[in-house]
Amino acid sequence: MKKTFIYVILLVMAACTEDLTSLNQDLKNPTDVPGYTLFSNAEKELADILTSTNVNNNIFRLLVQHWTQTTYIDESQYNITTRGIPAGFWTPLYRDVLRDLKEADSIIQVSGEVGEPVILANQRAVISTLQVYAYSVLVNTFGNIPYTKALNINNVSPDYDDAATIYADLLTRLNTAIGNMDQTAEGFGDADLIYGGDMAKWFMFANSLKLKMGMRLVDVDPATAQATVEAAARNVLKSNADNATFAYLAAPPNTNPVWVDLVQSGRQDYVIASTLGNVMNTLNDPRRTFYFDADSVAGGKYGQSNSYAAFTHPSDLITDPTFPGLLMDYAEVEFFLAEAVERGYNVTGTAAEHYNNAVTASIVYWGGTPAQAQAYLAQPTVAYATAAGTFEQKIGIQKWLAYYNRGYDAWTE
């Protein structure tokens, strides 16, 4: 009996020994993953950091005075070092976006998960386009940044490259990506959480990014700016149906970050700034009912403590868990084209036509009607021919209004 018992124990131990190795595998944190999962994650992380209103990493809605604060007002007073906010914006772009994109690119080239060369070329072109987008955000925000020696785990203190040199290289990379796109072939398919693998949309997005980057250079390198804009202008986004949006879900952890920051957390930290509210009230802007929780805005004074109960707040639309993140839209493309016309660039249409298209696209995107847009544009204070100021001011004011909920882009402009 004793021998039998020992024999059974030995058998059990042997069986357990075989299975124990599997216990060392952390299924929630795998070491080997398909490239497309890293690409999907990079898209989400990019949308998250640009959409977030977390005071620790994205305060651009405050800096452009779309919103202001209630009790804790350091950031509205431009104190961005107490919380280390610059690092909070910088780190996700390098660690969660650019690093994942680089790893995805490496994996899909060697893993054999893509069968056809044309699909591989499309996937790499899309990855490169998003890398250019993310790096352009970093350069626009910080100037000189790590670039040529970045993303190397063995070099934790990479050199900083010159911003102008980086920008030139980014445009070269973007041109290469555009040239490598086959609009008739597949891309990342369902793993692409922005365009669902539609390469025709990515082609327009890449050209729109090229247009946007070209317009960033107008005052520092006019020749490059003009050549870049003119080369891109024919192939940009054509309507709101082409907007680059990230669709959030109703349930955590894939919800709209604004919902997470304001609703799920129960925060009452922000009200609409009078800087924005007064302009929209004066212009009788139809977007107020979509931007805010009131048709007429009672804005708080920027940079001062404000009673949450006394002032207007972000709308339920913006704080809905499924409200999408917006990386690029037709409205901003049309604003860029309006400016390009005014600067004498060879693009089709008039400045007024592009301006009207942009304003209309913004109003309709937010839920308004073409009739509302037409009535708004008919006002002498809004109409391109009669609105006050230079073309930079006319276009700039309307772009600042259209960039609501996109603080980074409003601040960059």
Side-chain angles (χ1 to χ4, degrees), residues 262-282:
L262 300 186
V263 179
Q264 186 184 48
S265 61
R267 305 291 299 189
Q268 297 184 341
D269 292 342
Y270 305 115
V271 295
I272 304 308
S274 60
T275 320
L276 175 67
N278 291 348
V279 171
M280 297 190 77
N281 284 338
T282 299

Side-chain angles (χ1 to χ4, degrees), residues 34-36 104-116 120 123:
Y36 64 83
D105 189 48
S106 298
I107 291 173
I108 65 173
Q109 289 183 74
V110 301
S111 66
E113 58 185 69
V114 180
E116 299 179 32
L120 175 60
Q123 291 185 352

Side-chain angles (χ1 to χ4, degrees), residues 46-60:
L46 179 60
D48 281 355
I49 189 59
L50 293 176
T51 304
S52 172
T53 186
N54 189 311
V55 76
N56 294 304
N57 55 34
N58 186 335
I59 60 168
F60 292 111

Side-chain angles (χ1 to χ4, degrees), residues 181-304:
M181 289 183 183
D182 184 335
Q183 299 179 64
T184 65
E186 296 179 23
F188 273 103
D190 292 342
D192 175 8
L193 304 178
I194 295 175
Y195 282 131
D198 189 331
M199 289 306 302
K201 295 288 180 70
W202 276 111
F203 182 76
M204 288 188 286
F205 175 88
N207 277 283
S208 299
L209 177 58
K210 183 176 175 178
L211 170 73
K212 186 172 188 172
M213 293 177 66
M215 294 306 296
R216 289 279 181 267
L217 299 173
V218 292
D219 293 321
V220 293
D221 189 350
T224 299
Q226 182 171 357
T228 301
V229 168
E230 290 177 352
R234 294 186 302 276
N235 299 307
V236 293
L237 308 182
K238 304 300 183 186
S239 73
N240 280 334
D242 302 326
N243 292 351
T245 58
F246 186 91
Y248 287 108
L249 305 181
N254 297 311
T255 49
N256 173 13
V258 180
W259 176 83
V260 174
D261 297 336
L262 300 186
V263 179
Q264 186 184 48
S265 61
R267 305 291 299 189
Q268 297 184 341
D269 292 342
Y270 305 115
V271 295
I272 304 308
S274 60
T275 320
L276 175 67
N278 291 348
V279 171
M280 297 190 77
N281 284 338
T282 299
L283 298 178
N284 194 30
D285 198 303
R287 287 167 290 193
R288 287 173 296 175
T289 189
F290 306 110
Y291 285 6
F292 317 124
D293 64 355
D295 292 341
S296 182
V297 187
K301 187 162 288 188
Y302 187 79
Q304 298 185 16

Side-chain angles (χ1 to χ4, degrees), residues 132-379:
V132 170
Y133 186 104
Y135 269 121
S136 71
V137 169
L138 285 163
V139 176
N140 291 336
T141 307
F142 297 102
N144 298 348
I145 59 168
Y147 179 66
T148 56
K149 296 183 180 179
L151 308 178
N152 181 355
I153 192 63
N154 296 314
N155 182 5
V156 296
S157 298
D159 295 337
Y160 281 56
D161 294 282
D162 172 69
T165 305
I166 296 172
Y167 232 67
D169 190 65
L170 290 176
L171 285 172
T172 299
R173 290 173 66 175
L174 188 57
N175 285 332
T176 300
I178 291 170
N180 288 338
M181 289 183 183
D182 184 335
Q183 299 179 64
T184 65
E186 296 179 23
F188 273 103
D190 292 342
D192 175 8
L193 304 178
I194 295 175
Y195 282 131
D198 189 331
M199 289 306 302
K201 295 288 180 70
W202 276 111
F203 182 76
M204 288 188 286
F205 175 88
N207 277 283
S208 299
L209 177 58
K210 183 176 175 178
L211 170 73
K212 186 172 188 172
M213 293 177 66
M215 294 306 296
R216 289 279 181 267
L217 299 173
V218 292
D219 293 321
V220 293
D221 189 350
T224 299
Q226 182 171 357
T228 301
V229 168
E230 290 177 352
R234 294 186 302 276
N235 299 307
V236 293
L237 308 182
K238 304 300 183 186
S239 73
N240 280 334
D242 302 326
N243 292 351
T245 58
F246 186 91
Y248 287 108
L249 305 181
N254 297 311
T255 49
N256 173 13
V258 180
W259 176 83
V260 174
D261 297 336
L262 300 186
V263 179
Q264 186 184 48
S265 61
R267 305 291 299 189
Q268 297 184 341
D269 292 342
Y270 305 115
V271 295
I272 304 308
S274 60
T275 320
L276 175 67
N278 291 348
V279 171
M280 297 190 77
N281 284 338
T282 299
L283 298 178
N284 194 30
D285 198 303
R287 287 167 290 193
R288 287 173 296 175
T289 189
F290 306 110
Y291 285 6
F292 317 124
D293 64 355
D295 292 341
S296 182
V297 187
K301 187 162 288 188
Y302 187 79
Q304 298 185 16
S305 296
N306 294 280
S307 165
Y308 184 82
F311 298 106
T312 303
H313 317 115
S315 68
D316 291 341
L317 178 66
I318 289 170
T319 57
D320 186 277
T322 64
F323 191 71
L326 187 57
L327 299 181
M328 186 170 305
D329 70 347
Y330 171 59
E332 67 181 303
V333 165
E334 286 291 341
F335 280 125
F336 286 130
L337 292 175
E339 183 181 351
V341 172
E342 288 284 12
R343 293 181 180 275
Y345 295 178
N346 183 21
V347 298
T348 59
T350 67
E353 287 171 344
H354 290 300
Y355 172 90
N356 291 344
N357 289 343
V359 172
T360 301
S362 176
I363 290 172
V364 172
Y365 170 78
W366 280 95
T369 66
Q372 287 178 308
Q374 186 176 6
Y376 180 66
L377 287 164
Q379 298 178 112

Side-chain angles (χ1 to χ4, degrees), residues 93-106:
L93 286 166
Y94 273 111
R95 181 193 62 206
D96 304 327
V97 179
L98 288 167
R99 181 59 194 171
D100 275 9
L101 289 172
K102 180 180 180 179
E103 192 67 18
D105 189 48
S106 298

